Amino acid sequence: HIEFISDASQKSIMESRERRLIDKSNKVLVSSVELKNVLIRRYGVGVEEKIYVVRNGYSGDILSIEELNSQNKVQKNNFVISYFGTISHWFNFEFIKKSLSEIENLEYDLIGPSEVEIPKIDRVNYKGTIEHHNLYEVTKNSDCYIMPFELNPIIESVDPVKLYEYINFNKNILTIRYNEIERFDSFVHFY
């Protein structure tokens, strides 16, 4: 949580509170190995014994491969890559722009709440927020999914639920590579 705070005095207050919380806790659950390592680096090796990694998961409906494969593909001229989730300061718009300049028939659909201004870019369609249970229906004609994030301490500490959701939708997945998601190697294409 400390990485989300930019004000130095607020960051210091939060770190002090986090330290007290860690000290008083018998067990600390984190969702990634990197997050465990951050806490050990921050509060010392003594806390290592009380920190346990419990991975995120997917709690939605599991779609069957047969059901997904039976969907009629809509013929289209463009190759559509979809992203759903929060669009914030870690979103790599430069990568999106570069890929669009290099691939003529490429198009992006972005879905989700935005915490930043989305640049006006040809062939980038911002669809706003969509009810979670409608995500598959809205993206079923996409050719693949992407996780276009800039690597920073927040991203490096995340076990992204997004990848679990993307895998459930049985499409190709493009993502940046970082240690925490190396275990998804057989499910994704790293760039």
Side-chain angles (χ1 to χ4, degrees):
H1 186 79
I2 293 170
E3 293 299 327
F4 286 95
I5 302 170
S6 55
D7 179 80
S9 65
Q10 289 298 314
K11 196 174 252 203
S12 178
I13 290 168
M14 183 58 69
E15 189 168 344
S16 172
R17 289 176 179 169
E18 185 179 74
R19 177 182 300 278
R20 284 196 327 243
L21 183 61
I22 297 284
D23 288 345
K24 289 182 175 192
S25 299
N26 294 322
K27 292 184 175 30
V28 177
L29 304 180
V30 296
S31 59
S32 72
V33 172
E34 180 57 22
L35 196 50
K36 177 179 181 176
N37 292 337
V38 164
L39 293 177
I40 292 168
R41 285 191 301 269
R42 196 176 285 159
Y43 303 116
V45 177
V47 302
E48 184 172 3
E49 298 79 39
K50 63 167 88 176
I51 302 175
Y52 298 87
V53 176
V54 178
R55 299 274 182 207
N56 286 319
Y58 177 69
S59 64
D61 293 333
I62 303 297
L63 303 175
S64 73
I65 298 296
E66 294 78 22
E67 177 184 353
L68 294 169
N69 289 339
S70 71
Q71 301 287 334
N72 292 328
K73 286 288 276 181
V74 172
Q75 294 297 321
K76 54 194 184 309
N77 295 327
N78 285 350
F79 187 87
V80 178
I81 299 177
S82 288
Y83 168 84
F84 56 78
T86 300
I87 301 167
S88 193
H89 65 276
W90 56 75
F91 199 89
N92 192 341
F93 285 107
E94 290 307 311
F95 174 83
I96 302 292
K97 288 178 192 174
K98 185 175 187 321
S99 64
L100 288 166
S101 72
E102 293 178 5
I103 304 170
E104 225 173 82
N105 66 333
L106 182 60
E107 183 177 322
Y108 286 92
D109 286 345
L110 307 181
I111 300 165
S114 182
E115 298 175 348
V116 296
E117 186 173 336
I118 297 173
K120 300 286 185 223
I121 306 169
D122 284 344
R123 296 180 283 141
V124 171
N125 311 304
Y126 176 55
K127 298 185 175 218
T129 303
I130 292 175
E131 294 280 335
H132 198 268
H133 64 273
N134 292 328
L135 285 173
Y136 178 71
E137 189 60 34
V138 171
T139 64
K140 71 181 179 185
N141 292 316
S142 298
D143 296 292
C144 73
Y145 296 109
I146 190 166
M147 200 171 81
F149 296 158
E150 293 179 359
L151 209 49
N152 64 38
I154 293 171
I155 298 302
E156 288 178 312
S157 296
V158 170
D159 175 31
V161 173
K162 177 175 317 323
L163 287 182
Y164 297 94
E165 293 171 322
Y166 283 0
I167 291 166
N168 184 48
F169 291 169
N170 196 37
K171 292 189 186 289
N172 285 316
I173 301 164
L174 302 172
T175 182
I176 60 164
R177 172 174 265 155
Y178 60 99
N179 289 341
E180 201 59 48
I181 63 171
E182 286 289 333
R183 69 185 194 288
F184 288 103
D185 186 48
S186 59
F187 298 99
V188 303
H189 301 281
F190 290 113
Y191 68 87

